Amino acid sequence: MFALFSHISNPSLCDLPNFLLKMERVILGFMMVHSITASAFTLDFSPLNPVARAGDRFVLECRATGCAAAVSFSWRSLKDLPLNSKIENNGSVSRQIFDPVQIDLKSTTVACLATCGDKILSKRPSQKTTKVIVYSLEQPEISGTGDMVVGQESVFTCTVPKVFPSNVLTVQWLLNDRVVKEEEFSTSKALSLEEIQSQYAHTPRQEEQGRALTCKATLNLTLDLPKDRRSRETSVVMAMRSTPEPTTTPEPTATPEPTTPEPTTTQVQTTTPEPTTTRVQTTTREPTTTQVPEPIQVPESMPAVLPVLSVLGSIPLVMIGGILTRNFWRSKTTYDLSIPI
């Protein structure tokens, strides 16, 4: 280039038409070199299709190429939303660090702007945009396997905590690696982290003893997400009893309803004593029998004495009989005037 200008600057070697032709060639060549140099300044993201798990630490890298001078970077959201991140610049590389990743990043378009300071077009920064896909998927949990009986239906529940977005979630039930039920949740609103539950009713058979029952949750997002991050599964070993054990269901305890006590009625019972009856008991005594002594037998040798003795002996007998007769009539009637109490 210097030799070309030296040759052109010597007027003795060329005339004016040739000079103008050569100057045109020089300008066109300069413009071609500048165009090639300016088009080499580019920006690239890493990862190319960013996918971040909610709650994790995620780094989005913006790299500039084609600039030998210092490069200045800036980040922004196309919707002017806060990114809640930290920026680290190192030469031609700028990193935006999300720690932790929040669900609000799901609908945000991130732009990286870079300016090469030594270029003619440095006042017009280059820009690169991308959208970060946010997801969340935790390990499923299976419940309802504690008391399984052969021939009796059991209901199993698979709980998948902290799912986002739930509208692309598919839950599969597998019995011994064979899909027995599949459920999609495409009607979910997917606005925030959700807990998703799926139930599977099954009647265990004796030949299924020891087989694996699996719940598998899958997010149908993108092929760029590794398989081990798109899907999580949990398995349990089926253990059943042959016959059900008798169970006693306690009767519910009834709570007594509050009652309003009724007014107490005091009954006064008046008892009229019966009139006392005075009984007069009359006891009639039987007449006393007086035993009269047998007459004394007089020997035959005393016939003359008997008349005298009978006269003399009748006097005491008469007296005794009168006393006895009087006592008899006095004691003939007795009145009992005692009043029973």
Side-chain angles (χ1 to χ4, degrees):
M1 182 71 68
F2 179 76
L4 178 61
F5 274 102
S6 299
H7 178 70
I8 294 176
S9 61
N10 190 353
S12 62
L13 299 177
C14 62
D15 54 6
L16 183 59
N18 292 332
F19 175 77
L20 294 177
L21 180 61
K22 292 179 180 181
M23 286 295 298
E24 182 180 358
R25 293 176 179 177
V26 171
I27 295 174
L28 289 176
F30 177 78
M31 293 178 63
M32 185 179 295
V33 172
H34 172 73
S35 177
I36 294 174
T37 305
S39 62
F41 181 61
T42 58
L43 299 176
D44 295 299
F45 279 118
S46 178
L48 186 60
N49 297 310
V51 180
R53 177 182 172 183
D56 288 356
R57 183 179 184 270
F58 177 73
V59 178
L60 181 61
E61 183 178 281
C62 181
R63 182 179 298 272
T65 57
C67 180
V71 181
S72 59
F73 291 94
S74 63
W75 296 82
R76 68 185 184 90
S77 168
L78 295 186
K79 294 184 179 181
D80 294 330
L81 297 176
L83 295 176
N84 299 318
S85 61
K86 182 177 68 173
I87 298 176
E88 293 182 355
N89 296 325
N90 185 12
S92 61
V93 178
S94 179
R95 297 179 179 88
Q96 189 170 38
I97 304 172
F98 301 91
D99 190 13
V101 175
Q102 300 181 6
I103 298 297
D104 297 338
L105 189 61
K106 66 183 184 297
S107 58
T108 303
T109 301
V110 180
C112 173
L113 295 87
T115 302
C116 184
D118 291 345
K119 298 297 180 179
I120 298 176
L121 302 178
S122 60
K123 294 183 180 180
R124 298 175 56 187
S126 297
Q127 176 176 304
K128 187 86 171 183
T129 61
T130 188
K131 189 173 182 178
V132 181
I133 298 177
V134 180
Y135 80 99
S136 178
L137 183 64
E138 300 291 336
Q139 197 73 22
E141 300 175 0
I142 299 178
S143 59
T145 60
D147 188 16
M148 290 185 289
V149 181
V150 174
Q152 290 189 4
E153 184 180 74
S154 298
V155 179
F156 309 104
T157 302
C158 179
T159 303
V160 188
K162 298 181 180 180
V163 179
F164 183 84
S166 57
N167 59 351
V168 295
L169 177 70
T170 300
V171 176
Q172 290 180 326
W173 287 91
L174 297 92
L175 184 57
N176 204 28
D177 296 331
R178 180 175 61 89
V179 178
V180 292
K181 182 180 179 180
E182 183 173 306
E183 187 173 3
E184 295 182 352
F185 298 86
S186 57
T187 58
S188 178
K189 295 181 180 180
L191 299 177
S192 59
L193 293 175
E194 297 182 59
E195 181 179 273
I196 302 298
Q197 288 188 342
S198 175
Q199 290 187 334
Y200 170 57
H202 177 65
T203 302
R205 300 188 301 271
Q206 186 62 43
E207 58 268 21
E208 296 174 346
Q209 189 78 254
R211 293 184 178 180
L213 178 65
T214 304
C215 175
K216 182 178 181 181
T218 304
L219 286 176
N220 304 306
L221 283 175
T222 174
L223 296 177
D224 294 332
L225 186 64
K227 183 179 180 180
D228 60 338
R229 300 173 66 182
R230 285 189 291 115
S231 181
R232 297 288 179 90
E233 63 181 50
T234 298
S235 299
V236 294
V237 177
M238 299 184 66
M240 298 89 69
R241 292 185 290 106
S242 297
T243 56
E245 296 179 357
T247 57
T248 303
T249 304
E251 297 181 358
T253 304
T255 304
E257 298 181 357
T259 57
T260 304
E262 298 180 357
T264 305
T265 304
T266 305
Q267 297 181 355
V268 179
Q269 183 176 2
T270 305
T271 305
T272 305
E274 298 180 357
T276 304
T277 305
T278 304
R279 295 180 181 180
V280 179
Q281 183 176 3
T282 304
T283 304
T284 305
R285 294 183 179 182
E286 296 180 358
T288 304
T289 305
T290 304
Q291 294 181 1
V292 179
E294 296 181 359
I296 302 174
Q297 296 181 1
V298 180
E300 295 180 355
S301 60
M302 297 178 64
V305 185
L306 288 175
V308 178
L309 292 175
S310 59
V311 173
L312 294 175
S314 60
I315 296 173
L317 291 174
V318 171
M319 294 176 64
I320 293 171
I323 295 172
L324 293 175
T325 302
R326 185 183 61 187
N327 291 338
F328 172 78
W329 290 109
R330 286 181 180 179
S331 61
K332 184 67 176 177
T333 304
T334 304
Y335 296 94
D336 187 3
L337 301 179
S338 61
I339 300 173
I341 298 176

